[in-house]
Amino acid sequence: MSNLEKLPVTVITGFLGSGKTTLVKHLMQNPQGKRLAVIVNEFGDVGVDGDILKSCAIPDCPAENIMELANGCICCTVADDFIPTIEALMALEPRPDHILIETSGLALPKPLLKAFDWPDIRSKITVDGVIALADAEAVAAGRFAPNVEAVDAQRLADDSIDHETPLSEVFEDQISCADIILLTKPDLAGPEGVAKAKEVIAAEAPRALPVVEVAEGAVDVRVVLGLEAAAEDDMDARPSHHDGHHDHEHDDFESIIVELPEQTDPAELVANIERLANELNILRVKGYAAVQGKPMRLLVQAVGARVRHQYDRPWEPGEERRSRLVVIAEHDDINEAAIRDILVGVTEAAE
């Protein structure tokens, strides 16, 4: 790529646990000859996603090309974090051919696109495309898109009730801003669930969008990179609930970090995380655990009551065998004492 050409950037968005990191990992491992760089924006300061990606680094996407932003939502920290990180990646030698940005599950993509109007980078960067991932099973179940008829009926009974949840707004903004939708975990949704999810997405999308079913992030790189959408010049076609707002708040969501003792039985930990979803309405849990007698670290990723865990790498010499989980939920559902009581059997708040 000539230094006179704009560096393409792909924004990868999607709700909590929709499979963004799995997709980025797949793209890193199948770069089609491109030298990639990655920006990971996490919610909470336990760098789970960045750690996973750095463990997958290859010559076309070395570890130094993978940068983490954990100081808040990427679309709210443009000047402080995002612009300097983009500039640092552009200064690398050799310069990347393509940058992937994995947003947090709570980030709104449109404010991020507006950052590409920043004078220092507009002439050097273009948004090749916005990829939105949607969990087929969750969407089919109607968790992130309200039933319009039911809402209208309830509002007739009480017009003071607002049935629009923060979760549905985030989902709708991500769909509205996308150039292509990747429908993940279709095996869990089944054919009927996939069909229902596609109906929901079509109803929310402001224009016809391609929807591609993807399992375990395995999609042909040519489908998602090289879209040449120049999304920064196409803002009017990407409506948002927050159009006209100078900023937006994430006070509706909160995360805490729970330190755990070494675990004796991973199955018990999984059962406790399932309890968090079922009893306390926790949205997302991710992190690491040390298991007694095991030389490898246990990676834990949960979306609601669906928990995945695996030993991802050996503990390094001199590394503290720490167990830390990030727990994310809507603000009113974060009961720190109850969460800790389930996970570690203590009720005192964190220091």
Side-chain angles (χ1 to χ4, degrees):
M1 178 176 65
S2 164
N3 284 335
L4 298 178
E5 294 177 349
K6 287 188 176 183
L7 180 61
V9 172
T10 294
V11 176
I12 298 172
T13 186
F15 200 74
L16 295 160
S18 59
K20 298 184 298 295
T21 302
T22 302
L23 173 66
V24 174
K25 177 180 173 182
H26 172 76
L27 296 177
M28 287 172 54
Q29 294 174 337
N30 299 274
Q32 304 293 306
K34 296 180 183 292
R35 186 173 179 85
L36 301 178
V38 179
I39 298 174
V40 184
N41 182 212
E42 298 207 57
F43 196 78
D45 67 357
V46 178
V48 177
D49 296 343
D51 233 15
I52 293 171
L53 296 178
K54 287 178 180 178
S55 71
C56 303
I58 60 173
D60 282 327
C61 189
E64 60 267 24
N65 284 27
I66 302 169
M67 297 191 176
E68 297 175 72
L69 298 180
N71 294 328
C73 169
I74 193 172
C75 56
C76 299
T77 58
V78 170
D80 293 337
D81 292 321
F82 175 62
I83 298 299
T85 301
I86 285 283
E87 291 175 335
L89 290 177
M90 292 174 63
L92 290 173
E93 289 293 343
R95 191 171 81 155
D97 298 313
H98 202 115
I99 297 175
L100 308 176
I101 300 177
E102 179 191 336
T103 70
S104 80
L106 304 180
L108 301 177
K110 190 168 181 178
L112 176 58
L113 294 190
K114 291 179 180 177
F116 290 92
D117 267 336
W118 200 269
D120 290 343
I121 65 170
R122 180 169 177 80
S123 62
K124 305 170 186 176
I125 293 282
T126 183
V127 182
D128 182 68
V130 179
I131 314 301
L133 279 68
D135 182 319
E137 184 185 38
V139 174
R143 296 176 198 159
F144 314 129
N147 180 319
V148 177
E149 292 181 359
V151 170
D152 287 343
Q154 290 174 336
R155 281 178 173 164
L156 286 174
D158 184 351
D159 60 9
S160 69
I161 297 176
D162 180 6
H163 296 284
E164 192 70 73
T165 69
L167 301 186
S168 66
E169 286 193 7
V170 171
F171 173 74
E172 290 161 15
D173 276 19
Q174 291 170 349
I175 296 298
S176 295
C177 200
D179 294 292
I180 186 171
I181 310 294
L182 300 186
L183 200 58
T184 62
K185 306 172 188 175
D187 53 323
L188 297 178
E192 291 185 3
V194 168
K196 177 61 178 176
K198 289 181 177 179
E199 289 178 8
V200 172
I201 290 169
E204 297 296 346
R207 60 196 182 285
L209 292 173
V211 179
V212 179
E213 296 175 39
V214 175
E216 298 296 334
V219 62
D220 191 318
V221 175
R222 296 170 297 178
V223 173
V224 294
L225 301 186
L227 299 180
E228 299 183 359
E232 70 275 15
D233 295 327
D234 187 33
M235 301 294 285
D236 290 343
R238 303 165 192 266
S240 164
H241 285 281
H242 298 268
D243 284 342
H245 294 208
H246 295 294
D247 55 16
H248 68 278
E249 300 294 336
H250 289 293
D251 292 343
D252 293 310
F253 303 96
E254 188 175 339
S255 72
I256 65 168
I257 295 173
V258 180
E259 300 265 359
L260 305 175
E262 280 203 1
Q263 301 296 295
T264 57
D265 182 6
E268 182 178 351
L269 176 61
V270 169
N272 288 338
I273 292 172
E274 291 172 348
R275 284 185 59 196
L276 292 180
N278 294 327
E279 298 178 18
L280 302 179
N281 203 30
I282 298 303
L283 296 173
R284 188 84 161 93
V285 178
K286 58 182 180 177
Y288 302 105
V291 179
Q292 290 180 11
K294 299 293 184 181
M296 298 188 72
R297 187 178 66 174
L298 186 71
L299 169 66
V300 179
Q301 298 262 30
V303 182
R306 194 166 67 224
V307 186
R308 301 179 66 174
H309 62 290
Q310 65 187 68
Y311 292 101
D312 70 325
R313 68 164 175 82
W315 292 98
E316 297 175 358
E319 181 181 10
E320 183 181 359
R321 289 172 59 95
R322 301 176 70 190
S323 299
R324 304 181 79 204
L325 297 179
V326 179
V327 180
I328 305 170
E330 292 189 72
H331 179 77
D332 291 344
D333 291 324
I334 288 287
N335 181 330
E336 188 166 347
I339 291 168
R340 293 182 181 278
D341 187 49
I342 287 175
L343 288 177
V344 297
V346 295
T347 55
E348 64 266 20
E351 296 180 359

